[in-house]
Amino acid sequence: MDSFNKQLGFDQVSNQKEAIMNQVKQEAAVVNARQLIEKVNDHCYEKCVPKPGSSLSKGESTCFTQCMEKYMAAWNVVSRQYIGRIQHEQGQQGLADGM
């Protein structure tokens, strides 16, 4: 059966599809990273830098660092929960399709 699939080009199509899916996943990860950085900057800058100047004070820098760490930790928790939910739903869908 494998040789039949190879003759019809299914392996090549499958490899191309997998490569495209990987590229889409990578692009989505880059978009998510950019969104995270933008949101952290917006949120933490507003919170920690009441009067912008030419440089951050020690207190502003500490506040900004702690805010970023908390925001990123929360982002990670939400991301893990979201991924888990998607995987669970895909598993449930797979079970339903198998019936």
Side-chain angles (χ1 to χ4, degrees):
M1 184 66 123
D2 282 339
S3 63
F4 181 71
N5 286 342
K6 286 181 184 178
Q7 288 176 354
L8 294 177
F10 287 130
D11 284 346
Q12 184 178 8
V13 170
S14 178
N15 289 341
Q16 288 175 342
K17 182 178 177 181
E18 188 174 328
I20 291 169
M21 290 296 288
N22 286 335
Q23 183 178 358
V24 168
K25 288 178 185 179
Q26 289 174 348
E27 289 174 7
V30 169
V31 169
N32 283 337
R34 284 186 181 147
Q35 287 177 340
L36 173 61
I37 291 168
E38 288 174 13
K39 288 182 179 185
V40 165
N41 281 336
D42 290 344
H43 176 77
C44 295
Y45 190 82
E46 285 180 17
K47 178 183 176 195
C48 297
V49 186
K51 296 180 182 178
S54 60
S55 63
L56 295 176
S57 70
K58 184 167 176 61
E60 291 170 338
S61 181
T62 300
C63 176
F64 200 79
T65 300
Q66 291 174 347
C67 179
M68 285 187 344
E69 289 172 355
K70 288 177 185 177
Y71 198 90
M72 290 175 74
W75 179 280
N76 288 335
V77 168
V78 170
S79 294
R80 280 193 296 270
Q81 291 293 320
Y82 180 69
I83 290 168
R85 182 176 177 182
I86 289 173
Q87 289 173 342
H88 177 74
E89 288 176 1
Q90 287 175 341
Q92 294 294 326
Q93 185 179 20
L95 290 174
D97 290 344
M99 292 183 157

